[in-house]
Amino acid sequence: MNQMTPPPKLEIIPSSAPFSEAQRSWLNGFFAGLLSTDGPTPLSAEQGAAVLQGPAGDGDDGEAPWHDQTMPIADRMKLAEGRPLRRRMMAAMAQQDCGQCGYNCNDYSDAIAGKSEPRLNLCVPGGKETARMLKTLNEELEKAPPALSGAAALRPRQSQGARATIRRRQSSCRGVC
Protein backbone atom coordinates (compact mmCIF):
# COMPACT_ATOMS: atom_id res chain seq x y z
CA MET A 1 0.00 0.00 0.00
CA ASN A 2 1.21 3.52 -0.74
CA GLN A 3 1.64 5.49 2.40
CA MET A 4 2.89 9.03 2.37
CA THR A 5 4.99 10.11 5.28
CA PRO A 6 4.78 13.72 6.32
CA PRO A 7 7.91 15.79 5.75
CA PRO A 8 10.13 16.20 8.79
CA LYS A 9 9.05 19.03 11.04
CA LEU A 10 11.49 21.91 10.72
CA GLU A 11 12.05 23.67 14.03
CA ILE A 12 13.25 27.21 13.40
CA ILE A 13 11.32 28.75 16.30
CA PRO A 14 12.39 27.01 19.53
CA SER A 15 9.75 25.52 21.81
CA SER A 16 10.86 27.95 24.53
CA ALA A 17 9.72 30.94 22.40
CA PRO A 18 6.62 32.75 23.74
CA PHE A 19 4.23 31.36 21.10
CA SER A 20 1.43 28.84 21.19
CA GLU A 21 1.95 25.52 19.37
CA ALA A 22 -0.24 26.72 16.47
CA GLN A 23 1.64 30.02 16.19
CA ARG A 24 5.01 28.27 16.37
CA SER A 25 3.93 25.79 13.70
CA TRP A 26 2.76 28.62 11.39
CA LEU A 27 5.96 30.62 11.93
CA ASN A 28 8.12 27.55 11.30
CA GLY A 29 6.28 26.93 8.02
CA PHE A 30 6.55 30.58 7.03
CA PHE A 31 10.27 30.78 7.70
CA ALA A 32 10.89 27.40 6.06
CA GLY A 33 9.25 28.70 2.88
CA LEU A 34 11.01 32.03 3.10
CA LEU A 35 14.44 30.50 3.64
CA SER A 36 14.09 27.61 1.19
CA THR A 37 16.63 27.50 -1.60
CA ASP A 38 14.44 25.70 -4.13
CA GLY A 39 11.97 28.56 -4.53
CA PRO A 40 10.30 29.80 -7.69
CA THR A 41 12.41 31.01 -10.57
CA PRO A 42 11.97 34.62 -11.65
CA LEU A 43 10.18 35.44 -14.91
CA SER A 44 12.15 36.31 -18.01
CA ALA A 45 11.87 39.86 -19.35
CA GLU A 46 9.40 38.70 -22.04
CA GLN A 47 7.24 36.83 -19.52
CA GLY A 48 7.24 39.83 -17.21
CA ALA A 49 6.19 42.14 -20.03
CA ALA A 50 3.38 39.76 -20.97
CA VAL A 51 2.11 39.73 -17.39
CA LEU A 52 2.25 43.51 -17.12
CA GLN A 53 0.47 44.01 -20.43
CA GLY A 54 -2.71 42.47 -19.03
CA PRO A 55 -5.04 39.73 -20.17
CA ALA A 56 -6.55 41.59 -23.12
CA GLY A 57 -3.21 42.56 -24.65
CA ASP A 58 -4.53 46.03 -25.42
CA GLY A 59 -1.82 47.96 -23.59
CA ASP A 60 -4.06 48.82 -20.65
CA ASP A 61 -2.24 49.11 -17.33
CA GLY A 62 -5.25 47.91 -15.33
CA GLU A 63 -5.44 51.08 -13.25
CA ALA A 64 -8.85 52.64 -12.68
CA PRO A 65 -8.38 56.15 -11.23
CA TRP A 66 -12.05 56.86 -12.02
CA HIS A 67 -13.27 54.08 -9.69
CA ASP A 68 -14.85 56.54 -7.26
CA GLN A 69 -18.64 56.65 -6.94
CA THR A 70 -18.59 60.28 -5.76
CA MET A 71 -16.91 61.50 -8.96
CA PRO A 72 -19.22 62.92 -11.66
CA ILE A 73 -19.37 60.97 -14.92
CA ALA A 74 -17.75 63.82 -16.90
CA ASP A 75 -14.69 63.71 -14.63
CA ARG A 76 -14.51 59.91 -14.83
CA MET A 77 -14.68 60.00 -18.62
CA LYS A 78 -11.93 62.63 -18.74
CA LEU A 79 -9.68 60.35 -16.65
CA ALA A 80 -10.42 57.46 -19.01
CA GLU A 81 -9.48 59.36 -22.17
CA GLY A 82 -6.92 57.48 -24.27
CA ARG A 83 -7.73 54.16 -22.59
CA PRO A 84 -9.08 51.11 -24.43
CA LEU A 85 -12.81 51.18 -25.11
CA ARG A 86 -13.64 48.55 -22.50
CA ARG A 87 -11.98 50.73 -19.83
CA ARG A 88 -13.86 53.84 -20.97
CA MET A 89 -17.06 51.79 -20.70
CA MET A 90 -16.12 50.94 -17.14
CA ALA A 91 -15.57 54.63 -16.39
CA ALA A 92 -19.11 55.31 -17.61
CA MET A 93 -20.53 53.00 -14.90
CA ALA A 94 -21.66 54.33 -11.51
CA GLN A 95 -18.59 52.71 -9.84
CA GLN A 96 -20.59 51.12 -7.03
CA ASP A 97 -19.90 47.47 -7.92
CA CYS A 98 -23.38 46.85 -6.52
CA GLY A 99 -24.19 43.83 -8.68
CA GLN A 100 -27.70 45.05 -9.58
CA CYS A 101 -26.85 44.44 -13.22
CA GLY A 102 -25.58 40.93 -12.46
CA TYR A 103 -21.93 42.00 -12.76
CA ASN A 104 -19.45 44.27 -11.07
CA CYS A 105 -18.56 47.43 -13.02
CA ASN A 106 -15.43 45.97 -14.61
CA ASP A 107 -17.09 42.69 -15.66
CA TYR A 108 -20.14 44.51 -17.06
CA SER A 109 -17.95 46.76 -19.22
CA ASP A 110 -15.93 43.75 -20.39
CA ALA A 111 -19.14 41.90 -21.27
CA ILE A 112 -20.42 44.85 -23.33
CA ALA A 113 -17.07 45.31 -25.07
CA GLY A 114 -16.90 41.56 -25.72
CA LYS A 115 -20.42 41.70 -27.17
CA SER A 116 -21.67 39.01 -24.80
CA GLU A 117 -24.02 41.53 -23.11
CA PRO A 118 -26.22 43.47 -25.54
CA ARG A 119 -28.17 45.41 -22.88
CA LEU A 120 -26.69 48.84 -22.14
CA ASN A 121 -29.18 49.95 -19.49
CA LEU A 122 -28.43 47.53 -16.66
CA CYS A 123 -26.43 49.99 -14.49
CA VAL A 124 -29.25 51.06 -12.17
CA PRO A 125 -27.22 53.50 -10.02
CA GLY A 126 -25.82 55.15 -13.17
CA GLY A 127 -29.28 55.71 -14.60
CA LYS A 128 -29.92 57.40 -17.93
CA GLU A 129 -26.61 59.24 -17.92
CA THR A 130 -24.65 55.97 -17.89
CA ALA A 131 -26.97 54.35 -20.44
CA ARG A 132 -26.48 57.28 -22.83
CA MET A 133 -22.70 57.20 -22.44
CA LEU A 134 -22.62 53.43 -22.94
CA LYS A 135 -24.73 53.82 -26.08
CA THR A 136 -22.25 56.38 -27.45
CA LEU A 137 -19.29 54.15 -26.63
CA ASN A 138 -21.05 51.09 -28.04
CA GLU A 139 -21.58 52.94 -31.33
CA GLU A 140 -17.83 53.55 -31.36
CA LEU A 141 -17.32 49.82 -30.78
CA GLU A 142 -19.60 48.96 -33.70
CA LYS A 143 -17.65 51.30 -36.00
CA ALA A 144 -14.27 49.87 -34.99
CA PRO A 145 -12.63 47.53 -37.50
CA PRO A 146 -12.71 43.86 -36.42
CA ALA A 147 -8.93 43.73 -35.90
CA LEU A 148 -9.06 46.47 -33.26
CA SER A 149 -12.11 45.21 -31.43
CA GLY A 150 -10.82 41.61 -31.44
CA ALA A 151 -8.51 42.20 -28.47
CA ALA A 152 -11.35 43.77 -26.50
CA ALA A 153 -13.70 40.99 -27.51
CA LEU A 154 -12.21 38.44 -25.14
CA ARG A 155 -14.89 36.83 -23.04
CA PRO A 156 -14.57 38.08 -19.46
CA ARG A 157 -14.80 35.86 -16.43
CA GLN A 158 -17.69 36.67 -14.14
CA SER A 159 -16.80 37.08 -10.52
CA GLN A 160 -18.20 34.63 -8.01
CA GLY A 161 -20.39 37.38 -6.52
CA ALA A 162 -21.85 38.23 -9.91
CA ARG A 163 -22.71 34.58 -10.58
CA ALA A 164 -24.37 34.32 -7.16
CA THR A 165 -26.39 37.48 -7.89
CA ILE A 166 -27.56 36.07 -11.22
CA ARG A 167 -28.56 32.79 -9.58
CA ARG A 168 -30.51 34.65 -6.87
CA ARG A 169 -32.32 36.70 -9.49
CA GLN A 170 -33.16 33.65 -11.56
CA SER A 171 -34.44 31.73 -8.54
CA SER A 172 -36.52 34.68 -7.30
CA CYS A 173 -38.14 35.30 -10.71
CA ARG A 174 -39.96 31.95 -10.92
CA GLY A 175 -40.95 32.62 -14.51
CA VAL A 176 -42.61 36.01 -13.88
CA CYS A 177 -39.68 38.26 -14.75
Side-chain angles (χ1 to χ4, degrees), residues 86-108:
R86 66 185 180 82
R87 301 298 280 166
R88 287 184 282 149
M89 287 180 167
M90 183 197 172
M93 311 287 170
Q95 307 305 312
Q96 293 185 5
D97 288 329
C98 62
Q100 291 184 56
C101 60
Y103 303 92
N104 63 37
C105 295
N106 188 48
D107 290 345
Y108 182 39

Side-chain angles (χ1 to χ4, degrees), residues 33 38-39 51 53 57 71 78 80 85 88 94 97 101 103 108-109 115 125 130 133 142 146 157 163 167 172 175:
D38 56 330
V51 168
Q53 190 174 25
M71 189 181 294
K78 187 170 180 85
L85 189 58
R88 287 184 282 149
D97 288 329
C101 60
Y103 303 92
Y108 182 39
S109 65
K115 299 182 181 180
T130 290
M133 182 59 68
E142 297 299 323
R157 291 185 332 213
R163 286 192 300 272
R167 281 193 296 272
S172 67

